[in-house]
Amino acid sequence: MPNVTVIGAQWGDEGKGKIVDWLAAKADAVVRFQGGHNAGHTLVVDGTTYKLSLLPSGIVTGTLSLIGNGVVLDPWALKDEIERLEAQGVSITAQNFGIADNCALILPLHGELDGLREAAAGKGKIGTTKRGIGPAYEDKVGRRAIRVCDLSHLDELEAQLDRLCAHHDALRAGFGEPPVDREALVAQLKDIAPFVRQYAQPVWKRLRDVRADGARILFEGAQGVLLDVDHGTYPFVTSSNTVSGSVAAGSGLGPGAAGFVLGIVKAYTTRVGSGPFPTELEDEIGQRLGERGHEFGTVTARKRRCGWFDAVLVRQSCAISGVHGIALTKLDVLDGFETVKICTGYRLDGQVIDYLPSSAVEQARLEPVYEEMEGWQDSTEGARTWADLPAQAIKYIRRIEELIECPAASVSTSPERDDTILVRNPFAEM
Ligand code: GDP
Ligand code: IMO
Ligand code: MG
């Protein structure tokens, strides 16, 4: 089955949106399988910029775009995003867009709780996007979520609303907040229900049918492996499994569905929010990476922390997510550096280790071991073939491939869709 799964191999913002948009033209369906509107994907097509959070990036090419059950869905954020994209000329209809009817909803109370917790945590905060992602996943696993299918039965949800409100009222009381205004909540849901219902469907069934017709499916991950709730830098992670392994559970297909796993890897490292970051540069080099790479969050406009490429992390992400090939992005941002560094190991309590330990205490103590390489002065911006790249840039890519034990399937050299060097077409590989 020639499917492709795109996942972030670092802490998110690797350029997944650009690559998904680029691959979408070759796909019959694009599916989001985890996360929510904490994601922020920027696409640039012929000079026009599209910013997506919840909609699969395939919507811009008009490819069938589906939101799988693994996503937590804020219906009001969805409406805003659809209206924004329609104003940009993107067509979003019940034919080219669908939402799994078993998706858990993000309610206004989730965003409020996310904000209250972060404010109360002070220095210990996670640095979330405050979109209510964590609280919504908690309610899903706690079996008190309101789901998309419930929007058709809002007058028959007494027991579920009892469970939900009892839980949240206790939490809110702890923050000195009034109980949930249940009537207002139901009224808000009734108001938005028709909008969501027009797209709601059993996505597993839709996927079964398109698959039977031989469709090529592109799975679009959000966040990155280091933000995975199991494999990431816990507790400074998001609340879903971001690894390729969640494709099946998050969309309703068997474990063989993922196909070719394409790990999106930035040519350096960034992270938004709190938590360990061994190669972080708090000097003028970090500043320069941030400026050249325009490293500001799409969702929260926060400045992203920047640092050198960490081969230890990416090797680990590739192994955990079964990555077959990487798409290396933002190579152009490294143009003009006299030298560039790659982290090849960590020093921890006097010993050199070649993996990220699970303990947050140990992660915070890691000191990077670097290898230094000569940089390149010529521009790589907009390069579309290997011949357009300076020899040193090619050496840098080759060294990365060697260290992470995974080949490059493509190299991206600007935000524009077509400024991409194709090495292997992922759809042709399986
Ligand atoms: P995502 O969350 O993984 O989709 O990534 P974001 O869209 O949040 O962040 C990536 C940013 O880098 C966006 O502003 C893209 O337009 C931009 N970008 C993607 N690929 C490249 C590239 O190869 N070079 C440059 N300079 N920018 C890129
Ligand atoms: P894309 O898809 C970068 C980070 C937040 C915070 C942590 C938890 O654009 O790569 P959450 O709101 O999910 O509970 O926040 O995860 N985070 C992201 N960082 N890119 C993202 O998505 C992110 N989504 C969440 O900054 O550190
Ligand atoms: Mg992003």
Side-chain angles (χ1 to χ4, degrees):
M1 188 59 58
N3 295 340
V4 174
T5 293
V6 163
I7 52 129
Q10 291 151 318
W11 277 292
D13 302 326
E14 299 91 349
K16 298 176 293 293
K18 167 179 165 160
I19 303 297
V20 169
D21 167 64
W22 178 65
L23 287 170
K26 302 174 178 69
D28 301 298
V30 180
V31 186
R32 276 279 307 264
F33 55 92
Q34 48 73 226
H37 67 311
N38 49 348
H41 303 160
T42 303
L43 283 51
V44 185
V45 185
D46 296 331
T48 303
T49 300
Y50 302 90
K51 289 187 183 293
L52 306 172
S53 280
L54 197 45
L55 291 169
S57 298
I59 202 76
V60 174
T61 46
T63 311
L64 172 64
S65 293
L66 299 168
I67 291 185
N69 57 277
V71 169
V72 279
L73 184 112
D74 180 323
W76 298 277
L78 175 76
K79 187 161 184 279
D80 287 350
E81 190 172 326
I82 288 183
E83 287 171 356
R84 195 162 41 75
L85 278 148
E86 282 179 338
Q88 284 193 285
V90 178
S91 161
I92 300 162
T93 65
Q95 275 65 52
N96 70 6
F97 177 58
I99 302 170
D101 56 6
N102 48 350
C103 265
L105 295 180
I106 301 183
L107 304 173
L109 54 84
H110 292 128
E112 284 166 34
L113 180 59
D114 199 349
L116 289 166
R117 282 177 176 161
E118 285 287 276
K123 273 180 78 181
K125 69 178 181 187
I126 304 290
T128 72
T129 59
K130 299 191 192 158
R131 295 295 189 267
I133 304 293
Y137 275 118
E138 288 170 33
D139 281 354
K140 170 179 164 169
V141 177
R143 297 167 291 189
R144 49 182 179 266
I146 308 295
R147 306 196 302 171
V148 168
C149 50
D150 297 328
L151 293 172
S152 303
H153 305 280
L154 287 168
D155 289 326
E156 301 160 77
L157 280 189
E158 287 305 308
Q160 192 67 352
L161 284 164
D162 285 347
R163 253 196 302 273
L164 179 77
C165 291
H167 180 79
H168 280 275
D169 287 348
L171 286 172
R172 293 169 68 92
F175 287 105
E177 291 292 315
V180 177
D181 184 339
R182 185 167 165 159
E183 271 176 33
L185 174 64
V186 173
Q188 282 174 303
L189 288 170
K190 281 188 173 165
D191 187 50
I192 197 78
F195 179 80
V196 180
R197 270 204 307 258
Q198 63 181 314
Y199 306 113
Q201 56 191 273
V203 157
W204 69 267
K205 205 158 166 285
R206 182 82 177 259
L207 286 171
R208 182 197 62 185
D209 294 346
V210 297
R211 239 183 147 195
D213 290 341
R216 301 204 277 194
I217 304 171
L218 176 57
F219 295 96
E220 175 178 17
Q223 292 85 48
V225 174
L226 293 163
L227 288 169
D228 181 280
V229 67
D230 287 291
H231 297 286
T233 45
Y234 191 92
F236 303 99
V237 292
T238 192
S239 297
S240 64
N241 282 112
T242 60
V243 292
S244 60
S246 47
V247 156
S251 58
L253 286 163
F260 186 93
V261 181
L262 184 66
I264 315 302
V265 175
K266 203 179 277 194
Y268 49 99
T269 314
T270 64
R271 137 161 244 185
V272 210
S274 328
F277 182 171
T279 63
E280 182 170 16
L281 295 166
E282 288 172 287
D283 57 9
E284 63 282 5
I285 299 177
Q287 187 84 13
R288 186 165 155 199
L289 286 171
E291 280 164 16
R292 285 189 55 89
H294 303 289
E295 297 295 355
F296 293 91
T298 311
V299 175
T300 55
R302 285 178 294 174
K303 208 169 162 206
R304 296 175 184 150
R305 300 154 65 192
C306 297
W308 291 122
F309 187 81
D310 189 333
V312 181
L313 293 184
V314 176
R315 182 170 57 229
Q316 187 157 329
S317 294
C318 288
I320 286 167
S321 242
V323 171
H324 295 103
I326 65 160
L328 190 70
T329 62
K330 304 191 91 161
L331 181 70
D332 54 297
V333 174
L334 294 178
D335 292 354
F337 280 91
E338 206 164 299
T339 60
V340 286
K341 288 187 186 175
I342 300 178
C343 171
T344 57
Y346 303 125
R347 213 163 271 118
L348 175 65
D349 303 331
Q351 282 198 315
V352 174
I353 58 170
D354 64 356
Y355 68 99
L356 182 80
S358 297
S359 151
V361 175
E362 291 176 12
Q363 287 172 6
R365 279 213 298 271
L366 298 174
E367 285 173 46
V369 176
Y370 285 118
E371 175 174 301
E372 193 160 11
M373 294 177 76
E374 196 187 319
W376 54 93
Q377 305 312 312
D378 296 333
S379 170
T380 65
E381 196 186 335
R384 295 185 183 188
T385 68
W386 286 105
D388 295 335
L389 295 181
Q392 275 309 124
I394 296 176
K395 264 195 195 165
Y396 181 71
I397 299 169
R398 293 291 176 237
R399 186 61 184 140
I400 284 177
E401 290 178 307
E402 209 168 70
L403 287 167
I404 67 171
E405 296 163 10
C406 191
S410 69
V411 179
S412 163
T413 56
S414 105
E416 269 287 345
R417 179 190 281 167
D418 293 321
D419 288 340
T420 307
I421 303 170
L422 178 65
V423 183
R424 310 156 73 191
N425 173 3
F427 275 115
E429 292 287 331
M430 299 303 285

